[in-house]
Amino acid sequence: MTDTDASRRNFVTGAGVVAAAAAVAPVLAQAQTPKPVEAATTPAAAAYPKPPFQAQSQPWPGLASKMNPRPDHGEQSYKGSGRLAGKRALITGGDSGIGRAAAIAYAREGADVAINYLPAEEPDAREVVALIRAAGRKAVAIPGDLRDEAFCQKLVARAAQELGGLDILVNNAARQQTKPAIGDISSADFDATMKTNVYAPFWLTKAAVARMGAGGVIVNTSSEQAGDPSADLVDYALTRAAVLNFTKSMAKQLAPKGIRVNAVAPGPFWTPLQVSGGATMEKLQSFGSTAPLARPGQPAEIAGLYVAAADPLLSYSTGQIFGSTGGNGQPA
Ligand code: NAD
Ligand code: MG
């Protein structure tokens, strides 16, 4: 019997493997004593609120701090591991909801973060600025209305100037207002939704690309509404489909420059958007009940996808749509 045969037989029977493992085990045990780690799951997930929710409404654009229950943006739970170390990010709608969760996660992953929001959201924005600074990162607060092209250009210029450059743009702000019939959507409503949800990402992307080098990343926010629109969200849903499509075309266009473009597609998430005209009271009170997980997502539960979409380690992921829908279908 040759050495090769012997090794093969030992491999098949496992006897030699056991003997060999026993011989090296003390050495391995010494070298690889595992350090204790905390469980990676969010302990809060099991206790996250389920419908029915209390009836509530706020004037648009709403404040996270006035919601009942308050959303969990990962303030207590998100732990970073340097995945975005030294990056400079601009996040629109970074004051509340999904944008706030992304801002907290980015800062704890080592990024400096500029947030944009509407002036009425200053109380929410102040909390986020404090959280970014508590993570030891630079925070820049730039309020203003994204429906204005000149402001969008100034926003990107100021973020890049104050952060010393721009590596990541997160197009996350959006307008969503429930309207039962097409006759209820005025041209002004339609225009405001398009300006906020389609024009602004277009203007911001244009301005950001001019400043980004290879390694730059754009992360858009789409929705499960892109592929499965609700009857009462006609104008909003078509903007989420437009963003999904924009993500794919820009990924192709910017690949030669080394700039990646991805999107995150949430299902129902517990955020101010929903309590400030985004949902009917009936839908709000049962919010999340149609998802297989039978509850809405909390912003903290989606932050990791924004990190992944921008993480330089995921360098082959561009034009991707990362979903978090609680189990319902994904957009195309
Ligand atoms: P949110 O209300 O916390 O965030 C939306 C933000 O948009 C606001 O905080 C506001 O700062 C910003 N905004 C709106 N109009 C603006 C304007 N004219 N100028 C500047 N900023 C403006 O709600 P959210 O749910 O976290 O929304 C974030 C993103 O998630 C949106 O793109 C939304 O379409 C998407 N989304 C949300 C859900 C959900 O169920 N909450 C589901 C799918 C997709
Ligand atoms: Mg807000």
Side-chain angles (χ1 to χ4, degrees):
M1 190 167 66
T2 62
D3 281 359
T4 317
D5 287 341
S7 327
R8 192 177 299 130
R9 203 187 60 212
N10 283 340
F11 179 74
V12 172
T13 61
V17 176
V18 172
V24 295
V27 181
L28 281 178
Q30 217 173 13
Q32 298 183 350
T33 304
K35 289 191 186 130
V37 287
E38 285 179 52
T41 49
T42 309
Y48 276 145
K50 293 180 171 60
F53 293 102
Q54 190 187 61
Q56 59 197 288
S57 76
Q58 295 184 38
W60 177 83
L63 291 174
S65 51
K66 291 195 173 158
M67 288 178 71
N68 181 22
R70 274 192 70 145
D72 177 7
H73 305 91
E75 287 91 341
Q76 310 298 327
S77 58
Y78 192 91
K79 289 189 178 67
S81 56
R83 292 173 72 183
L84 301 177
K87 301 291 184 193
R88 298 151 300 185
L90 167 60
I91 303 176
T92 65
D95 58 300
S96 60
I98 292 167
R100 179 196 288 215
I104 292 169
Y106 277 24
R108 293 186 188 170
E109 294 292 355
D112 291 331
V113 182
I115 59 165
N116 162 253
Y117 50 93
L118 288 160
E121 298 171 302
E122 194 61 43
D124 272 359
R126 281 199 192 142
E127 292 182 4
V128 179
V129 164
L131 287 157
I132 295 167
R133 292 187 181 146
R137 307 310 311 177
K138 183 164 187 176
V140 183
I142 313 176
D145 195 323
L146 294 173
R147 289 171 290 188
D148 175 6
E149 180 174 5
F151 173 72
C152 285
Q153 290 166 349
K154 276 186 230 149
L155 171 63
V156 173
R158 212 183 123 198
Q161 188 195 356
E162 298 211 20
L163 297 175
L166 190 65
D167 306 296
I168 304 168
L169 166 66
V170 181
N171 283 313
N172 168 74
R175 176 185 195 271
Q176 175 187 319
Q177 294 288 305
T178 168
K179 300 279 179 186
I182 192 164
D184 300 321
I185 306 173
S186 69
S187 293
D189 284 330
F190 192 81
D191 196 50
T193 305
M194 294 302 139
K195 285 271 159 55
T196 312
N197 300 10
V198 179
Y199 278 72
F202 164 69
W203 291 325
L204 295 167
T205 299
K206 202 192 249 196
V209 163
R211 287 175 173 79
M212 274 180 183
V217 181
I218 295 163
V219 186
N220 295 321
T221 303
S222 180
S223 169
E224 65 178 357
Q225 290 286 328
D228 187 14
S230 297
D232 66 328
L233 294 175
V234 169
D235 53 340
Y236 168 81
L238 78 84
T239 71
R240 302 300 80 185
V243 162
L244 192 146
N245 193 279
F246 182 52
T247 301
K248 294 182 176 182
S249 62
M250 289 308 299
K252 289 175 187 163
Q253 185 182 114
L254 296 177
K257 289 187 194 297
I259 298 172
R260 296 185 297 120
V261 187
N262 291 308
V264 177
F269 273 76
W270 187 247
T271 70
L273 184 99
Q274 302 294 351
V275 302
S276 59
T280 61
M281 196 55 73
E282 189 189 0
K283 185 173 171 188
L284 190 70
Q285 288 182 274
S286 63
F287 199 58
S289 59
T290 56
L293 289 182
R295 64 170 178 86
Q298 292 295 323
E301 298 179 276
I302 201 168
L305 291 183
Y306 284 83
V307 172
D311 187 336
L313 280 178
L314 276 89
S315 43
Y316 202 63
S317 294
T318 191
Q320 309 299 311
I321 316 299
F322 297 95
S324 179
T325 62
N328 275 333
Q330 301 296 313

